Amino acid sequence: MINITFPDGAVRSYEKGTTALSIARSISEGLAKKVLAASVNGEVFDAHRPIEEDALLRLLTWNDAEAKSTFWHSTAHLLAEAVEAQFPGVKFWVGPAVEQGFYYDMDLGDKKMTEEDLAQLEKKMAALAQQDSPYQRIEIGKEEAIRFFTEKGDEYKLDLLQGLSDGEITFYKQGNFTDLCRGPHIPSTAPIKAIKLTSVAGAYWKGNEKNKMLTRVYGISFPNQKELDAYLLMLEEAKKRDHRKLGKELGIYTMDDDVGPGLPLWLPNGTVVIEELEQLAKETESAAGYKRVVTPHIAKESMYLTSGHLPYYADSMFPPMEMDGEKYYLKAMNCPHHHKIFDAEPKSYRELPFRIAEYGTCYRYEQSGELFGLMRVRCLHMNDAHIYCSKEQFFDEFKAVNEMYLKYFKIFGIDKYVMRLSLHDPEKLGQKYVNEPALWLETEAMVRKVLVETNTPFVEVQDEAAFYGPKIDVQIWSAIGREFTLATNQVDFNSGLKFKLSYTNKENTPEVPLIIHRAPLGTHERFIGFLLEHYAGKFPLWLAPVQVKVLPISDKFLDYAHQVQQLLKDAGIRAETDDRGEKIGKKIRDTELMKIPYMLVVGEKEMNEQQVAVRRQGKGDLGTQPIGEFVAMAKQEISSRKSE
RNA sequence: GCCGUUGUAGCUCAGUGGUAGAGCACUUCCUUGGUAAGGAAGAGGUCGUGAGUUCAAUUCUCAUCAACGGCUCCA
């Protein structure tokens, strides 16, 4: 007998070799039907895999994340079975569950899969699922496994087998499909009731672009149609928040073939947002002791050789222009220019920390396939600044930067993000990272200390650092689930040496400063792209391109409407008047759709009493008030940068 | 850059081997209307670009550019 401990602490005895499924059945038949897998001492087990020792058991149903992955991974096997039926000779690589659904990578030889095939495959999968085939776990020796896939001619599975040894190899079989797989799986195919294959894409074998490109089919599945429908609806809703769609609808930015890919043109509405953000940055940085600088958009090759950027990033810089035998590059980063500003005049320790800031325009030749709306562009405006300080000052400076981040995030109501401490990879010293092992460890410890001592939650990730030092990246997710770095805060122990920067310390000897690179608001492009999605286009009043729209009931009140608009403009409020010969209902509808925060409806009553009827976007009619009162209230809302 | 898909009016999209249509937006007129779409008329496109097949191409083929979904990458 073995003892099974349940999540509530209850302990019961069962026969050795019992299964999660029979334990569930001993509780209730209904529960047994819902069990998809089980967590046994923290490891996810097939529901009908024998349990051989005392265990902490958690029965997993659809509501558990582990069960969902298991469910989706099992659906991936079902997909493989269907593909094998329709594309004989197909070879499979791997088919894991992902955050939302699953994929399977496969080599179709000279055959091609198109999106039309997906509908056929879905049908086939649904038919296979109905057969209620059990997922059988088969423990198998390496030799026999190799024989199986040699006969099948699947070199990808053979490649996988190379990394495995006897005793850890299992096959899973359902219906006519057998796969090398460590599992776990759901008990049978029956619970897979609703399947959607979402896309077919290419993916490099083992994620390496030098390898062959395999065909990847993405999909998702659910235990009932209702949940699938809800999921598809959610995707539709997410698309409405896509910054590319909102950016067009709200007149924020546009792209033009003649200008070039990845080169956004900021329309008047977008430019307002840019200027408000810059104003915020200026105020914040000025209060924090930064000075502003302006630098050219180009520089000679020699500077990027000094900085070390060129060898690392030549491929992602625009090719140089040659003039008078000199090569000039468009700047892909502001750092070297700023270092030259530090170096322009001799520095004393008394002048440190030396903080200089610039919304710097940079150009990066991102690969064509990497461009993505405003989130990944070739011309960007970076909320950049560099802080030159001594080692002793580093902690306070880095901490202050971190606090500035949090202050900004509060203003924007950003709470879904992950702070990522990005570290180097010792194996790539001298290649991807400057070869200064001791300095790496020292600065990484310094950064970690700031995070720990300020109780900032963070995750550590290897091999994500800048080439010159560790950094903290703030990771966010776009409306459609893509991950981006919104902001970055980096330590640089290398550029000071390379640019021979120094200051005179108290002992009257030269010392190399540490450099902090920081961009809490990232770039205008990515930040505004993010904000569009974050606010679903409904900017807070202070950021809204048009803050107030005056809506006259009819053109008899146009003069009064213009008076109101002028009063608003005089108060520094961005206001427009809808002077079209439309009915008020139509004007309201259009203004609502443009997501303009305030509508002031004016007609006979308002005109006679010098009032305005206030309507808030999304909230409806707020009643009538004297125009002066509204102006004062709006000014207050704007100056406090309230996020509503 | 790689795999796949797409490209028709300002926007969203129909459609066809015989040189194109809808709704919204726009212009004009009628309506002067009180909190999410009043009515009518009009204007607007060499069907992404280039070449090929054909008597004839927006439609078929190829190339190219761009966008989209992924992969790779992201200072």
Side-chain angles (χ1 to χ4, degrees), chain A residues 259-263 310 312-320 329-333 362-372 376-380:
Chain A
V259 177
L263 301 171
L310 210 46
Y312 282 96
Y313 300 113
D315 284 351
S316 40
M317 289 176 76
F318 277 87
Y329 280 88
L330 278 168
K331 69 173 169 184
M333 65 295 293
C362 300
Y363 300 87
R364 297 178 179 180
Y365 193 78
E366 305 287 3
Q367 291 188 48
S368 60
E370 293 162 349
L371 300 173
F372 182 74
R376 197 76 182 274
V377 292
R378 285 180 175 163
C379 171
L380 44 100

Side-chain angles (χ1 to χ4, degrees), chain A residues 96-239:
Chain A
V98 290
E99 206 165 306
Q100 294 286 329
F102 59 89
Y103 67 79
Y104 215 120
D105 280 352
M106 55 195 83
D107 181 352
L108 296 166
D110 48 9
K111 290 188 197 116
K112 273 185 184 166
M113 189 180 293
T114 67
E115 292 187 5
E116 282 159 34
D117 294 317
L118 296 186
Q120 288 300 316
L121 287 169
E122 273 172 22
K123 270 187 208 157
K124 179 79 185 165
M125 288 169 74
L128 290 170
Q130 272 191 350
Q131 292 174 5
D132 195 12
S133 318
Y135 285 92
Q136 294 170 268
R137 177 188 162 91
I138 303 159
E139 289 178 10
I140 194 163
K142 184 165 180 172
E143 226 171 275
E144 203 182 329
I146 288 175
R147 199 177 314 128
F148 180 88
F149 283 108
T150 306
E151 269 168 37
K152 203 178 166 190
D154 192 329
E155 67 261 31
Y156 300 100
K157 293 293 179 189
L158 288 171
D159 183 271
L160 273 180
L161 275 168
Q162 274 189 358
L164 299 171
S165 44
D166 269 328
E168 56 177 8
I169 298 172
T170 49
F171 280 4
Y172 273 83
K173 181 172 189 292
Q174 98 276 359
N176 289 317
F177 180 71
T178 303
D179 202 357
L180 170 67
C181 177
R182 81 167 72 87
H185 281 281
I186 59 176
S188 85
T189 60
I192 304 171
K193 292 277 203 298
I195 301 161
K196 179 77 191 166
L197 296 180
T198 45
S199 69
V200 49
Y204 297 111
W205 184 42
K206 296 186 177 180
N208 186 331
E209 62 181 320
K210 293 194 175 69
N211 285 345
K212 179 166 183 174
M213 184 156 271
L214 304 177
T215 301
R216 174 175 296 180
V217 178
Y218 281 92
I220 192 163
S221 60
F222 295 92
N224 58 63
Q225 185 65 32
K226 216 170 126 189
E227 288 210 40
L228 173 58
D229 292 342
Y231 171 77
L232 295 174
L233 188 69
M234 190 201 77
L235 285 187
E236 287 301 311
E237 288 301 309
K239 272 190 200 158

